[in-house]
Amino acid sequence: MTIPAVRVPSDPPKPRPALRLVKTNDLDREQWLDVRRRGIGSSDAAAAVGLNPYKSQLELWLEKTGRDGLLPKTDPLDEESPAYWGNILEPIVAAHYTRRSGNRVRRINAVLQHPDPQLHWMLANIDREVIGAPDVQILECKTAGINGARLWKEGVPEYVQLQVQHQLVVTGKAAADVAV
């Protein structure tokens, strides 16, 4: 008499962690942008599928292929720019998130790359890693000025949701918070 083999279901394999493509501590803005041109970053994800209210698919393609010379550029030092204020206020948003949630966060200081060689084009710069919290691993910090605030009336805008979903895929993490 043959006893049939019993298979014990195994836990699904844990996702491999994202690769640290390059450390960003010593990169200037142009070097960082050059690294970002190597793939589709999390902030590019919504533009890639036509859902970014600030960048079209054509603009993204022009940037990624080096044909964006005639496009207007955002000056990172322009105090009228939402990007300027987003960078200035990011540490404050992160500190406030920690105060309100009790979750500790830390900077990663790297451009992350998906570990699967077939998905090497998937890149991510995450604002903060959440540490010691079982239910969330990534923090995306946002600011909304008078013009952008309308996009948040219904909750987290779709373009931000796509950005965070892209980060989760690249990192293999399960959940993220968005702090505004």
Side-chain angles (χ1 to χ4, degrees), residues 21-166:
L21 182 60
V22 64
K23 291 182 180 180
T24 56
N25 299 40
D26 299 325
L27 297 181
D28 64 29
R29 181 168 173 77
E30 281 307 311
Q31 292 169 320
W32 176 71
L33 290 172
D34 284 342
V35 171
R36 290 196 59 204
R37 285 187 193 99
R38 297 183 196 175
I40 301 296
S42 51
S43 61
D44 300 325
V49 296
L51 294 174
N52 187 322
Y54 304 109
K55 184 182 293 184
S56 71
Q57 290 171 306
L58 176 59
E59 289 170 309
L60 179 64
W61 180 81
L62 290 169
E63 286 177 6
K64 297 300 178 178
T65 59
R67 296 177 172 102
D68 61 336
L70 297 178
L71 290 179
K73 301 283 188 261
T74 302
D75 178 0
L77 302 177
D78 176 10
E79 294 179 11
E80 302 291 319
S81 164
Y84 171 84
W85 288 107
N87 287 332
I88 293 290
L89 295 173
E90 181 181 305
I92 296 168
V93 172
H96 185 70
Y97 168 83
T98 294
R99 193 177 123 244
R100 293 282 304 268
S101 69
N103 293 337
R104 295 180 328 158
V105 297
R106 67 178 169 204
R107 292 186 55 98
I108 298 295
N109 297 318
V111 176
L112 303 177
Q113 182 180 43
H114 196 287
D116 183 335
Q118 293 184 344
L119 299 174
H120 66 90
W121 52 269
M122 292 185 78
L123 307 178
N125 287 274
I126 64 172
D127 290 339
R128 298 290 188 279
E129 178 180 32
V130 179
I131 51 176
D135 56 338
V136 63
Q137 299 86 37
I138 293 176
L139 173 64
E140 180 61 30
C141 299
K142 294 292 183 191
T143 57
I146 193 165
N147 295 321
R150 65 182 165 70
L151 299 173
W152 293 82
K153 285 182 181 176
E154 305 286 322
V156 178
E158 194 171 39
Y159 77 97
V160 176
Q161 292 179 40
L162 288 169
Q163 177 181 2
V164 171
Q165 289 171 355
H166 187 95

